[in-house]
Amino acid sequence: MSTKIKSPKDSFTIMNELVLPNDTNTLNNLMGGRLLHWMDIAAAISAQKHCNRIVVTASVDNVSFKQPIKLGDVITIEAKVTRAFNTSVEVRLDVWAENIPSGARVKSNEAYYTFVAVDQSGRTIPVPELIPETADEEELFAGALRRRQLRLILGGKMKPNDAIELKALFFPE
């Protein structure tokens, strides 16, 4: 299989959802689990666009809820791959909530999801390289290595002393 080089724009995905009564709690706020479900779908689409393969969710970074999302709001989830590793990709998500009648639009969430590309038998396979094109994409690309090291440490798959890029944040030479 040839691994083509791709840019973040190749994986850019926008997903919209309308918050309906079945999506809310008793305060008429969107349930967090429903939003995480929608974010996982948007991130998976983005990762699949990059990999041209089936992908499975490997991890979800800290997701903070900055603003409550209300019944009737329109959710816009923007997702794109920030970095590709050997068999995995990191996807950044930005979530916006918009009240159409008032025109108010606020950012409610951001998160990073990691996906692993797999073949039909579920075995991991290599993913295409990602080359950032803008200054923002380069910053996200560089930060992805530190975020990956932190995920590996927290998951018990890397010793803290081996996280060279992450340690450099705390102990610059």
Side-chain angles (χ1 to χ4, degrees):
M1 180 186 101
S2 68
T3 51
K4 179 182 153 195
I5 296 173
K6 295 193 174 183
S7 73
K9 72 175 177 247
D10 294 326
S11 66
F12 185 62
T13 300
I14 299 174
M15 188 170 116
N16 292 299
E17 294 286 344
L18 174 63
V19 179
L20 298 171
N22 195 43
D23 303 321
T24 64
N25 60 24
T26 53
L27 298 173
N28 284 330
N29 292 329
L30 175 64
M31 290 184 286
R34 184 65 52 102
L35 179 59
L36 292 172
H37 172 76
W38 290 339
M39 290 169 72
D40 192 38
I41 292 169
I45 292 169
S46 179
Q48 286 182 23
K49 285 168 93 172
H50 179 84
C51 299
N52 294 111
R53 287 293 189 163
I54 297 167
V55 296
V56 293
T57 309
S59 72
V60 177
D61 284 16
N62 178 24
V63 179
S64 298
F65 296 87
K66 297 174 175 45
Q67 294 280 67
I69 298 170
K70 298 302 216 176
L71 174 66
D73 284 355
V74 173
I75 303 305
T76 300
I77 303 170
E78 297 175 351
K80 71 177 171 182
V81 173
T82 57
R83 188 156 183 165
F85 296 96
N86 295 328
T87 60
S88 66
V89 293
E90 179 190 81
V91 179
R92 178 185 167 97
L93 296 110
D94 291 300
V95 180
W96 302 86
E98 183 176 3
N99 179 284
I100 301 286
S102 74
R105 185 175 194 252
V106 295
K107 187 171 187 179
S108 67
N109 300 75
E110 56 189 50
Y112 293 94
Y113 280 52
T114 303
F115 289 85
V116 174
V118 295
D119 64 16
Q120 296 298 335
S121 303
R123 290 185 296 264
T124 60
I125 55 173
V127 300
E129 184 179 350
L130 182 117
I131 303 293
E133 295 179 325
T134 68
D136 284 345
E137 290 170 358
E138 287 174 8
E139 189 175 321
L140 289 168
F141 181 88
L145 189 54
R146 293 186 294 274
R147 288 186 295 274
R148 181 175 189 259
Q149 289 179 350
L150 183 57
R151 282 185 212 91
L152 291 172
I153 291 168
L154 293 174
K157 296 177 182 170
M158 177 183 260
K159 292 185 170 60
N161 280 341
D162 296 335
I164 307 300
E165 287 77 12
L166 194 56
K167 281 184 3 184
L169 281 177
F170 300 101
F171 307 106
E173 291 182 20

